[in-house]
Amino acid sequence: MKVVNYISEAFEELKTNVTWPEWAEVQRLTIVVAVFSVVFALSTWGVDEIFAKSLEGFFTWIKA
């Protein structure tokens, strides 16, 4: 019974005390997050490629 009461109170608080953003703001912020996620993923890939090539060159140089 405690769990049901907790869930009921949580939903009530979400309906009455939480200020929800406007739909346009949600869409705008979703686009911002998506763009930054892609930029971050591409930069992480780029740094990984640079380190991989550097290490490959270093070990090739050591072998020679």
Side-chain angles (χ1 to χ4, degrees):
M1 192 63 183
K2 289 182 180 181
V3 173
V4 173
N5 190 27
Y6 174 78
I7 293 172
S8 173
E9 288 177 2
F11 276 114
E12 186 62 33
E13 186 165 346
L14 285 172
K15 287 194 299 189
T16 58
N17 296 337
V18 174
T19 304
W20 296 99
E22 296 294 322
W23 180 244
E25 185 179 7
V26 171
Q27 288 176 324
R28 183 179 61 81
L29 292 176
T30 300
I31 291 170
V32 168
V33 168
V35 167
F36 275 109
S37 296
V38 169
V39 168
F40 185 72
L42 289 174
S43 63
T44 302
W45 172 77
V47 169
D48 181 55
E49 285 295 315
I50 290 170
F51 280 129
K53 297 288 184 192
S54 298
L55 285 174
E56 183 181 341
F58 175 74
F59 286 117
T60 302
W61 176 70
I62 295 257
K63 275 184 167 180

